[in-house]
Amino acid sequence: MATDVMATAAGQWPRLLIELAGLAPEQLENRHQPCPACGGTDRYRWDRDDGPGGWFCNQCGGRDQRGGGGSGMDLLLRLTGWDFATAARRIEAHLALPAEPGQHRPAPASPCRVGNPRRGQLESPSHSRSGSKAGRPARIPGTPPPDAPPPELGRASGQWCYTDAAGAPLFWVQRLDLLQGGRQRKVFVQRTWLDGGWHFPSRRDPFRSDWPAPRPLYRLAELERHFWAPVLITEGEKAADAAVALFPDHVVVSWCGGSQAIASVDWSPLAGRAVSLWPDADASGREAMARLSALLLELGCHVAVVLPPSCTEEDWDLVDAPGASGWDLADATWSAAEAQSYLEGHSRTVQLPEPESDDDHDLQTANGSTTVRPPAGQRSAANSPGGGEPFVCLGYDSDGYFYQPRSTGQVVRLGSSAHGGVNLCRLAPLAYWETLYPNKRGVNWTAAASDLFCRQATIGMFDPDLLRGRGIWWDEGRCVLHLGDRLVVDGEPRPLSTTLNSRFHYQRGAALVGTADAQPLSDEEALLVLTLADRFHWEVPASAMLLAGWVTLAPICGALRWRPHLWLSGPAGSGKSHLFERFCGVLLADMARVFVGSVTEAGIRQTLRSDALPVLIDEAESNEREDQQRIQAILALARVASSESRAAIVKGSPAGEVARYSVRSMFLLSSIATGLKQGADRRRFAPLNLRNPSELPQQQREAHWQALDRDLEQLITPAFANRLIARTVALIPVIRRSIVVCSQVAAAHFDSQALGDQYGTLLAGAWSLQASRVPSAAEVQSLIDGADWSSYRESTEVPDERRCLNRILQHQLRVESEERTVVTRTVLELVELVSSALPSPMEPVRPADVADLLARHGLRVREGELLISNSAEAIGRMLADTAWVTNWGAILSRLPGASRSLLVHFRGLGSSRAVALPLAMLTGPGALEGAVF
């Protein structure tokens, strides 16, 4: 038989090594790379796909394993630790070859089917349903053309078509009722597509032509089409067809090969579905459904078994059920309503057994529930952090597989080729792997990796948005305080390793103090925060309310739908350092990440990881070009963090891997001047400006700071901060409802939903310092009316297109006068001079010279319009270091009255496309609204 195996495996070694040994496709390329057997960097290559396959390693290759080449079988033996006979049996099963007479073979270890720790104990039949003799090689059938007619029925009493998920035919199964020795006997044959037609298998064939395992389910296309419907599985295609009419609300499926071919079927399309099993009323039916139940439970299915007619629950515990003589659904005479009634009354839920329970029976029923026992070695622990499993599978993404070991609590990413001994011991102790995957050398790491790949496939794609680090979160109506080494859920402390009924994964981090079990502040005590914030000298008094609201909400930023940011600015001596360090820094305790100076976006992102903690950046200056680019990158990070959406930052690596980051922080930046350039940033950052200290007499200024410094020292303490955070956490449900009310009122007041979200959220934070209840709309309106908001409205309501135009119009150009002197004028002044019908006699420059100068800068006045070139380099220099430098033409075309012009000639530059703007909008009232200096 070994000869047949090697002959059939010829040319299939890349596939076999991928599916049996767990190699990645790139490890089977003819290029130097690390050896999958001994490691290294470039000592190995795969150099032959056909025939027996071929590989070379100058370290472990060759017969003496001192360097040289080998065949595909040789590499399989080295990677798996199997002996030759074991490998031959595995290949035989995987390629669906017939076994020797009287010999049972293990089921194929295909990655597309969920396996078990000892998959080989799940046996497939010793011969096919078509009666093929052992010893014949397999011939892989082809895919029939879409218009291929069904095979001729001939002597068959029925036939059934197996399709792919899209409904395209793959092969047919025919049933023949033969009379042998005076007894009726059922024979099933597979009609596969060979040599341009439907092949009928014969004992005289020198080959086998069955469809290779794992085979599709019968009625797979219906299963995919009705993905929401419950599933009913019957034994045999005839019973499935009968059940379709009886159970119109179900998707009915079956499989080919009978009760002994369960291991040869791809059951993965059923993952996560509600499945009812209707066995034939005989011993083989009961045993088949017991094995199938084990497989479906591992796929995450909700499984129930139906007791057939004439079969009681006591009968079901026996090997032979009296009175059950092979009855199946094809024999039913029910109506659809009667069938549904029987199904509901005779279904028993199937569960995996407790580890300490008895193993005498494969399937037990008691009190309306059924416990299924997979064969020995095929049980897997629940995939939850609080269960018996030492790690949790989180899913896969491209070539990465993600796990959360209970020992560390942190998420681990392993590439497909990294599932070796050292890395798997990061997930669980060595004893765990030795128990589940033993071999002669200790642990069969390849089998372990194969099963992990299958388990990850059932989990699905890894979603980084479901990872949650330290911080305060809102989890489906619960407040979860994640302090790194423990959770506090609705005030109840829990170890991080306990199971939390949540779709999110909370991973371990460095321990935080958080609330330190402090008593929350009362309303009167909390008001002190707002009072002290108001004692700083602000250019706009409303800034105190916004700062107090931000400091209150920042620790719970993970529980908010909108996260507003602040930019604190002021000249030297205005108190920025006091405010930043002695007020904000102390009140946020260890629930914030503080940075100073030239921090980068990547540094912040990698420090936060999946934490929901506020970010404070001092000395966020934008003096040099490099600093401006760095700050703009940080602002882009803050923009993504503002809203609770699935928006994420995606980064690629040189190796082709993709990493996604979801940031959920509130930002506070401090500098002498703000660096907010884009309209999107102005809508997300509230600028808070401190007054110039020189505006106050020195003696008054010194007395003010001495008193404020003394009060900050006495009142704003770490203990006070813990109590403030405890109050905010306790009020999260109230604050979330308050934000809704405040945002609606603010949006109506500012006539802008963006401003409503920004300032409404901060107002809700400030309100929570005064009261422990949700405010009314009238109370919020009173709060807004008590402050001057004009500066905040002006900073955000000017659109980007107007600010872009103003940047161009304010640019200064030097022009030579008639007296050969050089004068400086803005672009707007020059445009007005050229367009004026009666130039001022006092103006030293001639309009003709000005028109030439404007044309050389991509600007032209024509028939009441200003034409601005879309490609002039001079305009690009005017807009340097702005967001509009590459696309000002598209931005300016949004202005009212703007139009796109065809090719326009600019003297000294040539022709280019341009945007035409009415001169009236440049020189009329409000022309410099939102000026950018």
Side-chain angles (χ1 to χ4, degrees), residues 542-584:
S543 299
M545 190 188 313
L546 300 181
L547 177 67
W550 188 92
V551 169
T552 303
L553 297 180
I556 64 168
C557 54
L560 303 180
R561 298 186 183 92
W562 180 264
R563 304 180 186 93
H565 313 304
L566 301 182
W567 195 311
L568 175 66
S569 64
S574 60
K576 289 195 311 298
S577 297
H578 267 70
L579 186 60
F580 193 88
E581 299 172 6
R582 302 285 301 280
F583 187 76
C584 298

Side-chain angles (χ1 to χ4, degrees), residues 111-125:
C112 64
R113 180 178 58 83
V114 173
N116 300 283
R118 296 179 186 172
R119 188 183 291 108
Q121 297 185 16
L122 195 63
E123 295 182 345
S124 61

Side-chain angles (χ1 to χ4, degrees), residues 396-407:
Y396 61 91
D397 190 354
S398 184
D399 190 47
Y401 296 82
F402 296 83
Y403 305 89
Q404 187 178 20
R406 292 183 63 195
S407 58

Side-chain angles (χ1 to χ4, degrees), residues 336-629:
E338 292 171 334
Q340 183 64 36
S341 176
Y342 185 91
L343 176 68
E344 294 173 355
H346 294 78
S347 293
R348 301 294 182 265
T349 303
V350 179
Q351 306 171 10
L352 282 171
E354 296 296 329
E356 66 272 15
S357 59
D358 189 6
D359 288 335
D360 290 341
H361 298 295
D362 286 335
L363 191 65
Q364 300 176 346
T365 61
N367 300 324
S369 67
T370 300
T371 300
V372 63
R373 300 185 180 281
Q378 295 187 24
R379 302 173 192 168
S380 68
N383 189 35
S384 65
E389 194 80 352
F391 57 90
V392 182
C393 295
L394 303 181
Y396 61 91
D397 190 354
S398 184
D399 190 47
Y401 296 82
F402 296 83
Y403 305 89
Q404 187 178 20
R406 292 183 63 195
S407 58
T408 65
Q410 293 191 335
V411 175
V412 176
R413 180 191 181 278
L414 297 180
S416 59
S417 59
H419 282 65
V422 173
N423 282 326
L424 293 189
C425 285
R426 295 168 61 190
L427 309 181
L430 180 62
Y432 171 86
W433 304 107
E434 289 177 335
T435 301
L436 293 181
Y437 308 95
N439 69 2
K440 295 180 180 179
R441 298 183 182 181
V443 179
N444 188 339
W445 296 113
T446 303
S450 177
D451 279 342
L452 289 176
F453 294 154
C454 292
R455 289 171 59 182
Q456 294 281 30
T458 65
I459 300 298
M461 292 291 291
F462 172 70
D463 186 355
D465 290 336
L466 299 183
L467 283 185
R468 288 187 165 181
R470 299 171 300 173
I472 300 171
W473 304 91
W474 189 252
D475 189 340
E476 298 178 357
R478 297 173 297 180
C479 172
V480 178
L481 173 57
H482 185 357
L483 296 175
D485 60 343
R486 63 198 185 281
L487 301 176
V488 181
V489 183
D490 287 338
E492 177 186 349
R494 296 191 185 186
L496 196 63
S497 59
T498 58
T499 301
L500 182 64
N501 185 21
S502 171
R503 62 193 182 97
F504 299 101
H505 307 286
Y506 294 87
Q507 62 174 339
R508 188 182 302 272
L512 298 175
V513 175
T515 62
D517 299 325
Q519 183 71 22
L521 294 174
S522 65
D523 291 353
E524 293 75 14
E525 292 171 317
L527 189 59
L528 179 65
V529 177
L530 189 56
T531 303
L532 286 174
D534 195 46
R535 290 177 59 183
F536 289 89
H537 288 152
W538 301 102
E539 287 189 359
V540 179
S543 299
M545 190 188 313
L546 300 181
L547 177 67
W550 188 92
V551 169
T552 303
L553 297 180
I556 64 168
C557 54
L560 303 180
R561 298 186 183 92
W562 180 264
R563 304 180 186 93
H565 313 304
L566 301 182
W567 195 311
L568 175 66
S569 64
S574 60
K576 289 195 311 298
S577 297
H578 267 70
L579 186 60
F580 193 88
E581 299 172 6
R582 302 285 301 280
F583 187 76
C584 298
V586 175
L587 288 178
L588 295 177
D590 63 347
M591 296 294 291
R593 303 295 89 187
V594 182
F595 304 93
V596 179
S598 57
V599 64
T600 65
E601 176 267 345
I604 297 173
R605 173 168 38 82
Q606 293 169 12
T607 299
L608 288 173
R609 301 176 66 186
S610 56
D611 291 345
L613 299 174
V615 173
L616 281 70
I617 307 175
D618 197 8
E619 299 180 14
E621 309 297 344
S622 305
N623 298 325
E624 304 296 331
R625 181 184 296 270
E626 182 178 333
D627 291 333
Q628 294 174 10
Q629 295 174 348

Side-chain angles (χ1 to χ4, degrees), residues 842-921:
M842 303 298 296
E843 182 61 54
V845 295
R846 295 185 304 172
D849 295 335
V850 172
D852 289 344
L853 176 65
L854 290 175
R856 291 195 298 272
H857 286 78
L859 301 163
R860 180 178 173 184
V861 176
R862 184 186 69 180
E863 299 177 359
E865 293 181 327
L866 173 63
L867 302 176
I868 303 178
S869 170
N870 290 347
S871 57
E873 293 184 4
I875 296 181
R877 290 191 293 271
M878 297 178 191
L879 298 175
D881 302 324
T882 70
W884 318 301
V885 66
T886 60
N887 62 342
W888 67 82
I891 297 294
L892 294 175
S893 64
R894 302 175 190 167
L895 287 165
S899 61
R900 295 178 182 269
S901 174
L902 298 177
L903 288 177
V904 177
H905 181 74
F906 293 89
R907 186 177 303 172
L909 295 181
S911 298
S912 72
R913 296 185 180 275
V915 176
L917 303 176
L919 288 177
M921 70 175 299

